[in-house]
Amino acid sequence: MRRFLLMAMLPVATTIMVAGCGGGSSKSGATLAASTTAATASGTRVAATANASPGAKTNAAGTTIPGATPAAAATTVAGAQTGDVTPIAAGNPATGFEATIDAQFADPTNAAALGSDGAGNIAGGNPGDPRHIVVPVPAVTPDPGVAVTIDPTQIAPPEPASTELTFAIDTDASTAGVQTTRTVHVGDTIVVAVALDNVPSGQGVSAFNFIVNYDKTKIFAPTIAGGPSVDRNPDLNVEALGADAGWACLPAPEGDLDDPGGTEGDGNPATGQAFLSCFTPQTGHASGNLVVATITFHVIAKGSTDLSLSEAFASGEAATEIGSCNPQVTAPIGCAGATITVD
């Protein structure tokens, strides 16, 4: 069990945050850097059915991830090689929070307290380095005549039907509401949201962690190393939680805990465990219905996968627990899963 990660980390995290924070990017959508994996047998990559639009971003393979307006037809990008992984453009040199992270993890006492062997492990590489994918996305071949799609980057409100405090998985982050089921196709890139719904106004979120469990033989969430800790995969939704609140994520976010350079996973190559643990030292935290993070998945094989939450924990002011599930710590709340079918 890993619920200890956030709770055990908080005293050291508070020390790290004393020097202030900076470099965490504000964003409203998932801008994961991951290669488009819809490669044909000839090695030609089929682009997604979307062109550049307002709010579009570029992923690690140089592919434009669209904003809200998709185009009507697919295009073909010739000459792309299966499995290419290109780093995102280099970030600025480590300053503020990132520089403090580097200094803190150079301290063997702090590193030992977090079970780390150095900044390259627990922090997922130097935050001042370019973002890059740790394990390449598997190459896939879409069905003939099926247009490969990439989810848009905007994040829609969760709009839960229930009024109970709940962690919930939404299979389509760009569509309002919580979609508990979704059908996709091999080669698609999808953005899944993790929401924390009905947070009381007096208990705004100051820290949280979760693991999303999935079938890694059907969908694949790349781990990102380097760059701001809030801009990895899973990806903190800093706009909803407070762009100026000094959020940071530690230990390093991972698309699967078995990927190198982070916390230890379950050792099973068929299972994925997307992990995120984030905190802020400031007050006046966000409440209500919050999409706290998104996870970008690449669809790699037909079948279905359940998405379930474990080690889900959230705290408010003064590190007081808001709620937890699978397992519960003190205050039990709901943990709502979802299912993705690959047609």
Side-chain angles (χ1 to χ4, degrees):
M1 296 189 297
R2 289 187 180 78
R3 69 178 184 274
F4 69 86
L5 285 173
L6 175 62
M7 293 183 291
M9 179 187 72
L10 283 174
V12 178
T14 302
T15 302
I16 292 172
M17 294 298 295
V18 167
C21 29
S25 61
S26 173
K27 59 193 306 215
S28 61
T31 58
L32 171 66
S35 56
T36 303
T37 59
T40 65
S42 64
T44 299
R45 181 172 292 138
V46 180
T49 56
N51 292 330
S53 60
K57 298 181 184 292
T58 302
N59 69 14
T63 303
T64 298
I65 297 179
T69 307
T75 58
T76 300
V77 181
Q81 297 300 311
T82 301
D84 283 351
V85 178
T86 305
I88 290 180
N92 296 324
T95 59
F97 168 68
E98 284 87 357
T100 306
I101 285 282
D102 293 344
Q104 289 289 335
F105 285 115
D107 182 326
T109 302
N110 284 342
L114 288 170
S116 166
D117 58 8
N121 180 15
I122 198 77
N126 187 334
D129 288 345
R131 295 198 314 158
H132 58 280
I133 296 172
V134 172
V135 177
V137 179
V140 299
T141 303
D143 288 339
V146 176
V148 175
T149 61
I150 297 176
D151 277 359
T153 60
Q154 74 266 21
I155 300 175
E159 299 178 358
S162 171
T163 58
E164 296 182 359
L165 182 61
T166 304
F167 271 105
I169 296 175
D170 177 8
T171 61
D172 188 349
S174 64
T175 300
V178 176
Q179 285 68 229
T180 59
T181 61
R182 184 178 181 184
T183 299
V184 296
H185 302 285
V186 172
D188 288 351
T189 301
I190 62 173
V191 181
V192 170
V194 176
L196 182 55
D197 296 325
N198 302 303
V199 177
S201 59
Q203 292 181 302
V205 179
S206 66
F208 69 90
N209 54 229
F210 64 75
I211 293 172
V212 171
N213 304 283
Y214 62 95
D215 184 343
K216 199 175 179 181
T217 68
K218 304 299 186 295
I219 57 178
F220 183 95
T223 292
I224 299 297
S229 64
V230 298
D231 196 10
R232 307 274 183 94
N233 191 43
D235 188 6
L236 183 71
N237 185 14
V238 292
E239 183 169 315
L241 294 170
D244 299 323
W247 280 87
C249 300
L250 198 69
E254 292 187 82
D256 181 15
L257 283 171
D258 284 334
D259 289 343
T263 10
E264 183 180 356
D266 63 2
N268 186 348
T271 62
Q273 297 173 293
F275 167 75
L276 188 65
S277 178
C278 304
F279 58 91
T280 172
Q282 298 189 20
T283 58
H285 308 117
S287 58
N289 300 318
L290 306 170
V291 172
V292 295
T294 56
I295 309 170
T296 297
F297 289 99
H298 292 259
V299 183
I300 60 174
K302 292 187 177 183
S304 66
T305 174
D306 291 330
L307 305 179
S308 64
L309 283 158
S310 60
E311 310 298 340
F313 178 92
S315 64
E317 302 288 343
T320 301
E321 181 184 348
I322 295 174
S324 56
C325 55
N326 293 341
Q328 74 179 57
V329 180
T330 301
I333 61 175
C335 253
T339 300
I340 291 175
T341 299
V342 185
D343 194 2

